[in-house]
Amino acid sequence: MTIHKIARLAKVSIATVSRTINGVPTVDPVLARRVWRVIEKQGYYPNRHARSLVSGRSRIFGLMVPEAPNAFFPEIIHTFARLCIQHNYQVLLSAICQDAGLLETAARQMIERRVDGVAILTFREQESLVEIFRDRNVSVFVIDSDRPGPLLRSVCIDYQHGIRQAVQHLAALGHNRIAFVSGPAHLKTAAVQKNAFHACMKEIGLQVAAEILLEGDHTMEAGAEAASSLVSLRHRPTAVVCSNDLMAIGLMHKASELYLDIPGDLSVVGFEDIPFAKYMIPQLTTVQISREEIATVAFETLFAAADPAINGDTQIVSSIATNLVVRGSTSMGPGRVRDGRRSRAGRAHAQANRFI
Amino acid sequence: MTIHKIARLAKVSIATVSRTINGVPTVDPVLARRVWRVIEKQGYYPNRHARSLVSGRSRIFGLMVPEAPNAFFPEIIHTFARLCIQHNYQVLLSAICQDAGLLETAARQMIERRVDGVAILTFREQESLVEIFRDRNVSVFVIDSDRPGPLLRSVCIDYQHGIRQAVQHLAALGHNRIAFVSGPAHLKTAAVQKNAFHACMKEIGLQVAAEILLEGDHTMEAGAEAASSLVSLRHRPTAVVCSNDLMAIGLMHKASELYLDIPGDLSVVGFEDIPFAKYMIPQLTTVQISREEIATVAFETLFAAADPAINGDTQIVSSIATNLVVRGSTSMGPGRVRDGRRSRAGRAHAQANRFI
DNA sequence: CTGTTAGCGCGTTCAA
DNA sequence: TTGAACGCGCTAACAG
C-alpha cells in the first residue's frame, strides 16, 4: 500500500496524492475529495521514513530523562509525549542512565534517526551529552543552563520565589530557627538554592547558624541522616526546608523513629512536590515545581526551533515559577503555640480536611 | 555526510561501505579497516530513515503505557528502553490517555513509522487499540491476554501465587478474618484475583463472609472508602488484602484518621509494590509484581517476533511471578498477641530495621 | 570479494 | 492545476 496504488485508484498522479495529503492549496477540490476517499477506503498510512528521508525533517524529538524512582519525571514524559502527538511529532525516549556507553549509544541512535531536537530533562548537568548533539547541529533543550545559545535552548527555574514562600510561611508560623538541607555540592542548582535560602532568611532578619545548614545527595538516606544531625544539636531548629522531597520524606521517617513529632516538634518543607508528597502522613508541605510547565516549555521551544517558518530566536517564557503547597507537615512554631504541643489526634483531624 | 562521501574518501564503492557497516563477513579486512577509519574520522552516522525504508524493518518498537500517577509504569518504561538500546532498537513512546482521539492518533503515528511491534503495557484491556494494530499486521504485546495468537503476544501474571503468600502470611500471624478489596468489576484481572483469594482462603479452611469482600476502583479514595466500610462492621476483620497499593495506601490514611492503628488494629497487605509502598509509615507489606520482568518479557517477545531469523512461535516464559514482600503494615492477629496491642514505639522500632 | 544498478516511498521540481 | 521525472540515503540483487 503505497502512494502509487492510491494514485492509480484515484486516477491521478502520485504528485497529486502527495499534494493532497500535504494540504497544498492549489489542488482541485474535486480531485482532492476523490483522493481522500480512496485513501480512507484503503486505509492508507503514508510511510514516515520515506517522508523524513526526502523532506529532511524527521518530525521526531528525542527525550532523555533520568530513571530516578522519585516520580518527578514520569509526568514530564507524558506531557511532552502528548504535546508531540498533538503537533504530529513523535517521541524517541531514552533514559539517562549511569552507564556512559549506553548513554552515548542512545544519543547516537537519536542522531541516526535525525531527530529535529532533543530535550534533556534532568537537574544534573549533562555536558558530554549536550556536546554530542551540538557537534551534529541538533538543537537541545535543557533545564537551568547558564549559557544558552541558538543550539542550546533552556529555561531557568525560579527557585528563589518558592524558597521565599517556604521561609516566610515558616516565619509566619513563629519559627525563627530554620534549617536547610541543600543538594550535593556538585549540582549547580544546589548553590543557587542555598543562596536563595540565605537571601530569604536575611530579608526577614533571621539568622542562619552554620550548624543548621546541611547537605545531602537528594536521597531518602540523606534525609534520614539530616534528621539525625539536627536531633543531635544542642539548640535544635524547629523547622527545616529540604531541597527535594525525597530527603524531606527520609527526614520524616527518621524523625518518627526518633520519637520526633511532625509537625509538632519539627515542621518540614520539601521541594518539587512529587506525587509521594501528598501520600505521606502527615502530608508534606512542599515547594512545587510544575512538571507540566517544564515539559510544555521544552516542547514549544524545540518545536519553534525546528519549524523553519518560525524565527529561531523566539523565547517562550523566561522562567518556571515555583510555589509553596501548604499541607500537614508544617505547623506553628514555639513562638506561637498557645495550647502546648499539638496532639496526634489534632493533627489527624487537621489533616482530614486536606485528604487527597 | 552520506555513504557516498565515505565511499569516495575510502576509495571504494558505496556497496562496500554498506557491507562494512552491516558486518557482512565477505568484506576484505583491509578495505573494512580503511572504511571504518574514514567513518570514524568523519563522524559518519548512517541515516536510519533510509535504512528503514529500504530494508522494510524500522528497528523501532512502540511503547504505550498509561499515565497513571502510581509509579508502577515508569520503571517498565526505562527497562524496556534500555533493552531496546542494547539491541539497537528504538522506542517510540505514547501515553495511554483518556482521549480516544489522541490515542488513535498515537497508534496511527506508530503505524506510519512502521514499528516492528508495539507493547501495550496496562492492566486495562485496550481492545480497540489492539485491533488497530492487528489490522495492520503489527505484532502487539499485552499483559494478561486470554487469547494470544501469532500477532498478539502476551504473558499472564500469576496472581494466585502472590495472593496465596499474602493470605498464608496473615493466617500464620493469627488472622482468621481477612478482608479483600478487589479491583473494579470491569477489569478481568479483578475477577481472577478475587477467585484466587477465595481459593487461597478455602485451602486453609478460612471463611469469607460476603461483607468483607469489598470492591474499589484502584484509587486512594476507594481505599479510604474501604476503610470506612470495614470499620463500620459489627464484626471487623483484623487484616485486609488490597488488590493494588494505591488502595492500600488510601486505606491506611483513612484508618489513621479513624484512630485505627496499623498494624496493631488492622494488618494491611497491598499489591504491586509501587515505590511509595516502602515510603509509607509503617512501610507497606505488599505482593510484588516485577516491573523489570514484565518489561523484559515484552521486549524479548517482540524482538523474537520481529527477527526473521527466529522462529516466530518461541514463547519466552509462561508467566510472571508475584511475591510477597513483608514490611511493617502486617503484624500478629488477635489469636497471637501475647502482650496486648503493640505500642507505637514498638512498631517504630521494629520498622527501623527495615528502613530503606 | 567488489562495483554497478535498481529500487524502497515519498516530496518537489519543471514543463505542459 | 497536473503529471513525469529526479533524488533523498541506503540495501540487495547481480554481474564481474
Side-chain angles (χ1 to χ4, degrees):
Chain A
M1 173 70 57
T2 76
I3 203 173
H4 288 96
K5 186 174 177 189
I6 303 301
R8 188 155 33 81
L9 291 173
K11 296 188 182 44
V12 294
S13 69
I14 60 163
T16 299
V17 177
S18 177
R19 291 192 193 102
T20 304
I21 289 173
N22 292 302
V24 174
T26 62
V27 176
D28 182 340
V30 179
L31 283 192
R33 242 194 307 281
R34 210 162 77 205
V35 169
W36 277 124
R37 214 180 308 273
V38 174
I39 286 177
E40 260 149 46
K41 177 142 180 247
Q42 300 290 317
Y44 166 68
Y45 286 7
N47 184 323
R48 274 207 171 285
H49 298 298
R51 304 180 79 169
S52 298
L53 183 59
V54 66
S55 73
R57 277 186 74 184
S58 63
R59 296 202 77 91
I60 296 180
F61 283 141
L63 177 59
M64 309 189 88
V65 293
E67 42 190 342
N70 66 0
F72 183 79
F73 295 98
E75 203 174 324
I76 289 187
I77 296 179
H78 286 126
T79 302
F80 191 87
R82 182 171 48 70
L83 288 168
C84 283
I85 293 172
Q86 287 172 336
H87 292 79
N88 199 21
Y89 256 81
Q90 297 188 284
V91 190
L92 224 44
L93 184 83
S94 160
I96 296 176
C97 53
Q98 297 308 317
D99 184 334
L102 256 188
L103 200 53
E104 205 175 316
T105 305
R108 188 201 164 92
Q109 288 190 355
M110 293 193 175
I111 293 168
E112 290 191 357
R113 202 60 82 171
R114 304 298 190 258
V115 291
D116 291 340
V118 177
I120 302 177
L121 300 183
T122 169
F123 292 128
R124 297 180 73 117
E125 283 188 278
Q126 298 290 151
E127 260 315 322
S128 57
L129 255 188
V130 170
E131 215 162 289
I132 292 177
F133 290 112
R134 191 193 2 247
D135 289 350
R136 319 303 286 222
N137 258 49
V138 178
S139 20
V140 171
F141 180 94
V142 299
I143 298 172
D144 283 335
S145 170
D146 47 2
R147 39 173 171 42
L151 240 58
L152 180 62
R153 313 304 174 103
S154 180
V155 73
C156 286
I157 295 173
D158 181 8
Y159 299 106
Q160 169 118 23
H161 184 242
I163 289 178
R164 176 182 284 126
Q165 284 182 67
V167 167
Q168 299 199 352
H169 167 63
L170 291 171
L173 286 170
H175 297 276
N176 48 37
R177 196 165 167 78
I178 304 173
F180 184 73
V181 186
S182 73
H186 65 84
L187 281 187
K188 240 187 283 181
T189 56
V192 174
Q193 291 176 9
K194 200 150 117 186
N195 291 339
F197 177 75
H198 266 108
C200 294
M201 290 290 276
K202 197 170 174 188
E203 265 178 6
I204 56 175
L206 292 184
Q207 301 291 323
V208 181
E211 59 178 14
I212 57 176
L213 265 181
L214 305 177
E215 185 182 315
D217 63 359
H218 280 174
T219 62
M220 279 183 56
E221 290 84 343
E225 278 173 37
S228 304
S229 302
L230 293 179
V231 163
S232 70
L233 293 177
R234 291 167 298 103
H235 190 19
R236 288 186 195 172
T238 59
V240 55
V241 178
C242 297
S243 60
N244 80 336
D245 284 346
L246 235 40
M247 289 202 294
I249 291 170
L251 192 149
M252 284 173 74
H253 276 243
K254 190 68 178 183
S256 153
E257 283 176 33
L258 298 171
Y259 305 108
L260 216 59
D261 184 58
I262 291 174
D265 298 320
L266 182 70
S267 285
V268 179
V269 178
F271 214 102
E272 285 181 15
D273 193 23
I274 62 178
F276 295 138
K278 70 167 185 286
Y279 296 170
M280 292 294 293
I281 303 177
Q283 294 181 39
L284 180 63
T285 294
T286 186
V287 177
Q288 181 176 69
I289 308 178
S290 168
R291 291 172 281 282
E292 193 170 340
E293 205 175 338
I294 291 177
T296 305
V297 171
F299 173 79
E300 289 182 345
T301 305
L302 290 177
F303 188 69
D307 194 336
I310 299 181
N311 182 332
D313 303 321
T314 45
Q315 191 62 30
I316 315 276
V317 297
S318 50
S319 73
I320 304 269
T322 57
N323 279 295
L324 183 71
V325 180
V326 178
R327 298 205 183 94
S329 67
T330 48
S331 70
M332 284 190 279
R336 296 295 156 73
V337 179
R338 270 169 267 170
D339 53 347
R341 180 168 300 172
R342 298 177 73 193
S343 70
R344 181 165 183 278
R347 272 193 298 118
H349 181 73
Q351 189 191 319
N353 299 321
R354 303 195 186 96
F355 186 55
I356 302 290
Chain B
M1 174 68 57
T2 76
I3 204 173
H4 287 96
K5 186 173 176 190
I6 303 300
R8 186 155 34 79
L9 292 172
K11 296 187 190 21
V12 295
S13 71
I14 60 166
T16 299
V17 177
S18 177
R19 290 193 194 101
T20 304
I21 290 172
N22 292 302
V24 174
T26 62
V27 176
D28 183 339
V30 179
L31 282 192
R33 244 193 307 281
R34 209 161 77 205
V35 170
W36 277 123
R37 215 181 307 275
V38 174
I39 286 177
E40 261 150 44
K41 177 142 180 248
Q42 300 292 316
Y44 165 68
Y45 286 9
N47 185 324
R48 272 205 173 288
H49 298 298
R51 303 179 80 168
S52 298
L53 183 59
V54 65
S55 73
R57 278 186 73 184
S58 63
R59 296 201 78 88
I60 295 180
F61 283 139
L63 176 59
M64 309 188 87
V65 292
E67 43 191 340
N70 66 0
F72 183 80
F73 295 99
E75 204 175 322
I76 289 186
I77 296 178
H78 286 125
T79 302
F80 191 87
R82 182 172 48 70
L83 288 168
C84 283
I85 293 171
Q86 288 172 335
H87 292 79
N88 200 20
Y89 256 81
Q90 298 188 284
V91 192
L92 223 45
L93 184 84
S94 160
I96 296 176
C97 53
Q98 297 307 316
D99 184 334
L102 256 187
L103 200 54
E104 204 174 318
T105 306
R108 188 201 165 91
Q109 289 190 353
M110 295 197 173
I111 293 167
E112 291 190 357
R113 200 62 80 173
R114 303 298 191 258
V115 290
D116 291 339
V118 177
I120 303 177
L121 300 183
T122 168
F123 291 128
R124 297 180 73 116
E125 284 189 276
Q126 298 289 150
E127 260 314 322
S128 56
L129 212 48
V130 171
E131 214 162 290
I132 292 177
F133 290 112
R134 189 190 6 244
D135 289 350
R136 318 301 285 220
N137 258 49
V138 177
S139 18
V140 172
F141 180 94
V142 300
I143 297 172
D144 283 334
S145 170
D146 48 2
R147 37 173 173 41
L151 241 56
L152 180 61
R153 314 303 174 105
S154 180
V155 73
C156 287
I157 294 173
D158 181 8
Y159 299 107
Q160 168 118 22
H161 184 242
I163 289 179
R164 175 182 285 127
Q165 285 182 67
V167 167
Q168 298 198 352
H169 167 64
L170 291 170
L173 287 170
H175 297 276
N176 49 38
R177 197 165 167 77
I178 304 172
F180 184 72
V181 186
S182 73
H186 64 84
L187 281 186
K188 241 187 280 181
T189 57
V192 175
Q193 291 176 8
K194 200 150 116 187
N195 291 338
F197 177 75
H198 265 107
C200 294
M201 289 289 276
K202 197 172 173 188
E203 266 178 5
I204 56 175
L206 292 184
Q207 302 291 323
V208 181
E211 60 179 13
I212 57 175
L213 265 179
L214 304 177
E215 186 182 314
D217 62 0
H218 280 174
T219 61
M220 279 181 57
E221 290 85 341
E225 277 173 38
S228 304
S229 300
L230 293 180
V231 163
S232 71
L233 293 177
R234 290 167 300 105
H235 191 18
R236 290 185 194 172
T238 58
V240 56
V241 177
C242 296
S243 59
N244 80 334
D245 284 346
L246 235 39
M247 288 201 296
I249 291 169
L251 191 148
M252 285 173 73
H253 277 241
K254 191 67 179 185
S256 154
E257 283 176 34
L258 297 170
Y259 307 107
L260 217 58
D261 184 58
I262 290 174
D265 298 321
L266 183 69
S267 285
V268 179
V269 179
F271 214 102
E272 286 181 14
D273 192 23
I274 62 178
F276 295 137
K278 70 168 183 287
Y279 297 169
M280 292 294 292
I281 304 177
Q283 294 181 39
L284 180 63
T285 293
T286 185
V287 176
Q288 181 176 69
I289 307 177
S290 168
R291 291 172 282 284
E292 192 170 340
E293 205 175 339
I294 291 177
T296 305
V297 171
F299 174 79
E300 290 182 346
T301 305
L302 290 178
F303 188 70
D307 193 335
I310 298 181
N311 181 333
D313 302 321
T314 46
Q315 191 63 28
I316 315 277
V317 296
S318 51
S319 72
I320 303 267
T322 57
N323 279 296
L324 184 70
V325 180
V326 178
R327 298 205 184 93
S329 67
T330 48
S331 70
M332 284 190 279
R336 296 295 155 75
V337 179
R338 269 168 267 173
D339 52 348
R341 179 168 302 171
R342 299 176 74 192
S343 70
R344 181 165 181 278
R347 271 193 296 118
H349 180 72
Q351 188 188 320
N353 300 322
R354 304 195 185 95
F355 186 54
I356 301 289

